Amino acid sequence: MTIATVLAFSELGIFVGLQDSSSAIIGRTGGDVWVMKSGTAYFDAGKPMLDGIRPALAAHACVKRVRGVVTAFVTALTEKTSPVGAMLVGVETDQAAVVPWEIERGLPSDLKQWLNVSVDSLDQQRFGFAESALGESFKIQGLDVRVSVVTKGIKAFALSPYVFADIESARAIAGLSRGQSCYWIVDLADPRCSDDFLRWVPERLGAQGDVEAKLTSVFERQSQEFWMSGSGAGIVLKFAVFLSLAVAAAVVIQTLNASVRDHVKELAALLAFGVTRAQLIHFVLWQAAGLTLLGAIPGGFATLLVSRLAFDAGIRIALSPAVFLLGGAGLCGITALAAALACRSVLRIPVRLVFV
Amino acid sequence: MQLTAGAVLEAENLWKTYDTSEQEFVAVRDVSLCIAPNELVLLMGPSGSGKTTLISMLAGLVHPSSGRVVLCGVELGRDEFELSMLRRRHIGFVFQNYHLFPALTALENVSEILGLHGVPRRDALERARAALAAVGLADRLHHRPDALSGGQRQRVAIARAFASNPDLLIGDEVTAALDSFSTEQVMHFMRDFADRRGAVLLVTHDHRLEQYADRIVEIEHGRVTSTRPGPRRPSPVPGLA
């Protein structure tokens, strides 16, 4: 049961952790509406839009603020490693949203410095940095950049390193002009304007290319669906979750069933002594409940330990209350199924076995 | 056949047939048997003679194809629950392989049955202690079966059977796995139970047990072939104070 608990919680946690990471930047950046090139299915796929969109968006009566986000797949070159593919994310660091997050060393404002970037501590080895990457220099797209912020635990679904920078630095690295951005994030003065604003964007901005607007929550969900349901890795992950739950179920069913199968003669003896089958079923159900509690509690602690070890190895197991609730419900369901099968076995014990 | 007044167990014209795919197999043929209070009866016969089927029917574990069994004045029917209640009230069992729960101590193996019979926990423990003391295991209460010898395990099983104060004790090859000394101990407990509390019906191959019997019933090919009196010999339990 302990093994089953660790399996179920860990796999669910990995699933939720990767699902979160597939849309984490969108959620962290916030805003009410994201404006992007039509057909952008997930965050990392952002393409630069033409100049002039920001002032056009700001002209809408409902718009309170417009922020840009630049994203580009870049090649990082350090002295100690071969070129490393990375996802550059440029954000307006003077705006309210705290991106990047999970900062281990440095301050978000340090990224305002020209060509300063952040690196995640879990990716330090990939960049060839020994201890802390803070203060290290390397090249991105041929430009010299300096690490002024170190984060811990920010991972893309595809596991390529995220490198954050101020949007101006990011534009310089990605070769974009000052007015260009891959996303425009709009904060509305009144969220009730959102429907009107979503209709207005393609009508007003049609001339600036194929542009569409999505509610932040919709884009988050789309990004998650792309990775979790549309990518091979997501499907493999779902299969792994299913497999781990199946293994957990097999372990619990096997354990409970063995407790009946291995004691068939003892249980038949109880029947001979006048114990009713209902009492035996009661006995099995108590055993199942005890097994669940005795296994799930140490299993929960073991999962916390596993998640800590996994995090240090670069795998995020998101053990949120929802994961515990879902995992707990799953384990209860598995135990109920196992108990039902064990009860079925109890009902089939032939009492005459006592003399065989 | 008239039922015998005061009999603990009475069987009348019992038959048991099994339909196999090829033919009908008769395991027990027209057996009638009566066991009186304080009587120790041995049921003897070669393997496959129908002994096990017969005691299974007598205990209400298997339904006879025809005939009837009356236990302490109540005719056994086919209702599982009623049969369970009758066995609970009147019969104790001792098995060749003990059938003790390996994870439970001697005390728990005895008291759990009483608990399942509805005896309050404290009373169950008290009765279990007394039953185990009566079979000389007062110092082995908290030992699990794997820490006991074969003879001690069988004594735990006997204590389990005694603890619910049955009218009839049914045993199946209870000494088959025991050495001579343990066999003697176990049979003295059986004899003592028959003398003081109820009747005993034992299935056995072991002719050494005849000395403890009031009556020996021989069975072959499912039919009782002879019934003869046994030389009962009650005496103090050897090796126990």
Side-chain angles (χ1 to χ4, degrees):
Chain A
M1 194 66 193
T2 303
I3 293 168
T5 305
V6 174
L7 262 178
F9 284 175
S10 298
E11 275 297 337
L12 277 173
I14 289 172
F15 183 85
V16 171
L18 283 171
Q19 190 178 42
D20 285 350
S21 69
S22 67
S23 66
I25 292 179
I26 303 169
R28 293 279 177 171
T29 310
D32 295 309
V33 174
W34 283 54
V35 177
M36 65 199 79
K37 277 242 179 189
S38 289
T40 306
Y42 58 99
F43 177 81
D44 295 359
K47 294 280 184 298
M49 290 175 279
L50 296 174
D51 266 340
I53 291 179
R54 182 176 203 159
L57 292 170
H60 191 281
C62 263
V63 173
K64 185 169 76 179
R65 184 173 61 163
V66 181
R67 291 173 282 152
V69 170
V70 165
T71 176
F73 190 74
V74 294
T75 303
L77 197 60
T78 64
E79 287 177 0
K80 295 174 185 166
T81 64
S82 50
V84 178
M87 185 56 62
L88 174 71
V89 179
V91 292
E92 295 187 8
T93 50
D94 54 345
Q95 298 292 336
V98 183
V99 177
W101 60 101
E102 306 287 0
I103 292 175
E104 193 176 59
R105 302 189 69 181
L107 296 167
S109 56
D110 294 341
L111 291 179
K112 282 181 190 166
Q113 305 287 327
W114 179 245
L115 295 181
N116 273 14
V117 298
S118 77
V119 166
D120 198 90
S121 59
L122 298 175
D123 297 321
Q124 282 180 171
Q125 279 192 327
R126 290 171 79 172
F127 286 107
F129 305 136
E131 292 285 315
S132 172
L134 199 70
E136 295 277 2
S137 294
F138 61 102
K139 285 182 186 294
I140 300 181
Q141 306 294 91
L143 293 175
D144 288 316
V145 298
R146 182 177 167 275
V147 179
S148 63
V149 169
V150 176
T151 59
K152 183 161 187 185
I154 299 181
K155 278 280 187 186
F157 182 90
L159 300 181
S160 52
Y162 272 130
V163 173
F164 289 89
D166 181 75
I167 194 164
E168 294 304 337
S169 299
R171 280 179 178 134
I173 294 168
L176 304 183
S177 69
R178 274 190 70 96
Q180 278 189 294
S181 183
C182 298
Y183 298 100
W184 292 111
I185 295 133
V186 177
D187 294 300
L188 297 172
D190 182 354
R192 285 175 296 183
C193 295
S194 59
D195 287 344
D196 175 55
F197 184 73
L198 291 174
R199 279 193 300 273
W200 178 83
V201 168
E203 289 167 12
R204 172 68 181 79
L205 301 178
Q208 267 102 335
D210 202 2
V211 173
E212 66 176 332
K214 292 172 188 170
L215 288 174
T216 304
S217 58
V218 170
F219 188 40
E220 259 187 301
R221 202 167 52 247
Q222 272 185 357
S223 205
Q224 288 178 358
E225 277 170 10
F226 174 83
W227 287 112
M228 305 312 287
S229 303
S231 73
I235 290 164
V236 168
L237 188 64
K238 278 184 178 172
F239 182 68
V241 171
F242 169 77
L243 206 60
S244 68
L245 287 175
V247 170
V251 168
V252 177
I253 289 169
Q254 165 69 11
T255 306
L256 262 182
N257 219 32
S259 74
V260 173
R261 197 186 52 234
D262 294 349
H263 298 109
V264 162
K265 292 209 169 178
E266 289 85 351
L267 293 169
L270 292 183
L271 290 171
F273 272 102
V275 172
T276 62
R277 286 184 196 269
Q279 284 178 304
L280 282 194
I281 284 170
H282 196 243
F283 176 71
V284 169
L285 293 178
W286 270 110
Q287 200 176 18
L291 193 71
T292 307
L293 274 181
L294 285 177
I297 292 170
F301 285 112
T303 310
L304 290 174
L305 183 67
V306 167
S307 76
R308 169 70 59 172
L309 296 173
F311 186 74
D312 290 339
I315 301 165
R316 183 167 168 251
I317 301 177
L319 294 177
S320 61
V323 168
F324 273 108
L325 205 66
L326 196 65
L331 284 174
C332 285
I334 287 169
T335 312
L337 174 67
L341 292 173
C343 289
R344 187 164 154 263
S345 303
V346 165
L347 289 173
R348 292 177 169 191
I349 293 173
V351 64
R352 65 175 183 278
L353 265 185
V354 284
F355 289 133
V356 176
Chain B
M1 180 179 154
Q2 285 287 313
L3 289 178
T4 310
V8 174
L9 182 79
E10 187 151 25
E12 185 184 33
N13 305 120
L14 281 185
W15 285 78
K16 183 66 186 177
T17 54
Y18 293 103
D19 286 324
T20 62
S21 55
E22 304 202 343
Q23 60 181 16
E24 193 177 67
F25 171 71
V26 183
V28 174
R29 299 165 189 268
D30 197 22
V31 171
S32 296
L33 185 70
C34 178
I35 300 176
N38 306 113
E39 193 179 21
L40 194 155
V41 177
L42 291 189
L43 188 60
M44 302 187 79
S47 296
S49 58
K51 304 185 298 290
T52 300
T53 305
L54 179 58
I55 58 164
S56 297
M57 286 192 290
L58 297 175
L61 304 177
V62 170
H63 299 304
S65 302
S66 68
R68 61 178 186 152
V69 179
V70 177
L71 175 66
C72 296
V74 181
E75 183 170 342
L76 303 188
R78 290 186 166 258
D79 183 276
E80 281 291 333
F81 183 77
E82 281 178 15
L83 286 170
S84 291
M85 293 303 112
L86 275 173
R87 285 197 300 268
R88 177 182 293 195
R89 213 169 295 138
H90 300 297
I91 306 179
F93 292 91
V94 183
F95 310 103
Q96 178 180 348
N97 294 320
Y98 330 120
H99 300 340
L100 300 173
F101 280 95
L104 301 184
T105 63
L107 185 65
E108 289 163 344
N109 263 294
V110 178
S111 65
E112 282 300 314
I113 287 267
L114 296 171
L116 287 166
H117 285 183
V119 177
R121 185 169 169 70
R122 183 181 283 189
D123 292 351
L125 285 171
E126 207 167 290
R127 280 168 63 176
R129 273 196 199 96
L132 285 162
V135 294
L137 290 177
D139 59 344
R140 294 285 186 277
L141 299 182
H142 303 293
H143 286 60
R144 293 203 164 80
D146 60 2
L148 299 171
S149 68
Q152 288 171 330
R153 285 182 217 179
Q154 195 59 294
R155 278 148 65 190
V156 174
I158 290 169
R160 178 174 66 176
F162 286 177
S164 53
N165 291 321
D167 297 298
L168 173 66
L169 200 141
I170 294 179
D172 178 39
E173 302 287 4
V174 294
T175 59
L178 304 183
D179 58 30
S180 305
F181 180 72
S182 298
T183 296
E184 216 173 322
Q185 279 189 333
V186 163
M187 285 314 296
H188 274 88
F189 290 124
M190 294 291 178
R191 184 65 257 174
D192 186 60
F193 176 82
D195 289 339
R196 293 204 257 175
R197 294 161 70 179
V200 177
L201 173 62
L202 297 179
V203 165
T204 185
H205 282 98
D206 190 347
H207 288 282
R208 291 176 302 170
L209 307 194
E210 289 182 9
Q211 59 183 309
Y212 302 95
D214 295 298
R215 192 152 46 103
I216 297 150
V217 178
E218 302 264 7
I219 182 170
E220 201 165 345
H221 301 303
R223 197 188 299 278
V224 173
T225 52
S226 77
T227 301
R228 56 191 163 88
R232 54 184 297 182
R233 195 197 70 175
S235 66
V237 177
L240 294 173

